[in-house]
């Protein structure tokens, strides 16, 4: 079970930026920093493809509303990537069944993806683009930092990822409740204005 913390951490990170995870793990394996990365992730074509897609995401992720469209497209891609990376890591170490590792990586990626996508939808209610840029940059740095940290301290990195995942889910629930309250209040104010306008027309002088 020694690879489980790395599988969990990579799953959490894949839900945020799957291409960065593949790119970083491939680089760490190719440079000999770790022997837990399978050769399939170290291939040159895989690294080039991950690098190009990472650059595309880095741009799309910082543009309001474009980031939400990008997240929608990746609702399947990120969990699948987390599952595949988890299964490959398990197959490389032989300490965890591939199917179990894929389930852990995929489910964790799916949860963190929903946290990211939901948070971005809330941020997009703000007209300025700076919050998107700041959040995207923080996510990229967070993924890079925790994957790098997981190479040296996988158990601690997994604990950090778990805490961030729980916090993200709590924040997402809070944002969902806040947005629903805001929409209800706006609909109520709109209905009140309609009623006031109708009453004003009904109480006007006869023609």
């Amino acid at each position: 079970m020694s690879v489980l913390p790395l599988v969990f951490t990579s799953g959490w990170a894949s839900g945020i930026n799957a291409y960065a995870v593949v790119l970083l793990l491939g680089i760490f394996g190719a440079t000999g920093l770790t022997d837990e990365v399978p050769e399939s992730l170290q291939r040159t074509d895989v690294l080039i493809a991950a690098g190009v897609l990472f650059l595309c995401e880095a741009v799309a992720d910082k543009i309001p509303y474009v980031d939400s469209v990008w997240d929608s497209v990746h609702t399947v891609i990120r969990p699948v990537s987390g599952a595949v990376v988890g299964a490959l890591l398990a197959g490389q170490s032989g300490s965890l069944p591939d199917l179990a590792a894929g389930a852990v990586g995929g489910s964790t990626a799916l949860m963190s993806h929903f946290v990211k996508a939901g948070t971005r939808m809330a941020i997009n209610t703000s007209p300025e683009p700076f919050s998107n840029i700041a959040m995207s940059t923080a996510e990229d740095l967070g993924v890079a930092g925790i994957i790098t940290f997981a190479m040296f301290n996988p158990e601690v990195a997994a604990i950090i990822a778990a805490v961030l995942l729980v916090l993200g889910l709590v924040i997402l629930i809070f944002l969902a409740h806040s947005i629903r309250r805001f929409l209800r209040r706006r609909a109520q104010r709109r209905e009140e204005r309609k009623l006031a306008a109708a009453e004003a027309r009904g109480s006007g002088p006869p023609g």
Side-chain angles (χ1 to χ4, degrees), residues 50-184:
V52 171
L53 290 170
F54 168 74
L55 291 177
C56 292
E57 176 151 338
V59 174
D61 213 31
K62 294 175 175 60
I63 304 174
Y65 297 105
V66 173
D67 58 350
S68 291
V69 174
W70 184 270
D71 286 338
S72 298
V73 174
H74 285 74
T75 300
V76 175
I77 296 175
R78 287 169 182 161
V80 170
S81 179
V84 171
V85 169
L88 290 173
L89 291 173
Q92 177 73 6
S93 70
S95 61
L96 184 68
D98 297 2
L99 184 60
V104 171
S107 59
T108 306
L110 181 62
M111 287 188 289
S112 62
H113 165 75
F114 281 142
V115 170
K116 173 178 180 173
T119 304
R120 287 308 184 85
M121 290 178 65
I123 289 176
N124 281 334
T125 59
S126 174
E128 45 76 29
F130 303 108
S131 54
N132 297 75
I133 296 173
M135 180 60 71
S136 176
T137 302
E139 289 170 350
D140 292 341
L141 293 175
V143 167
I146 199 164
I147 290 295
T148 302
F149 187 60
M151 293 296 99
F152 304 98
N153 296 281
E155 291 82 7
V156 178
I159 293 173
I160 295 173
V163 171
L164 291 175
L165 180 59
V166 171
L167 287 176
L169 290 172
V170 171
I171 292 172
L172 183 60
I173 293 172
F174 172 78
L175 288 174
H177 286 310
S178 298
I179 291 174
R180 278 201 295 267
R181 284 198 302 269
F182 170 75
L183 293 176
R184 281 198 302 266

Side-chain angles (χ1 to χ4, degrees), residues 29-52:
T31 56
L33 183 62
T34 178
D35 56 0
E36 293 189 1
V37 177
E39 292 184 2
S40 56
L41 294 179
Q42 303 177 34
R43 290 168 38 184
T44 303
D45 57 337
V46 172
L47 292 176
I48 292 175
V52 171

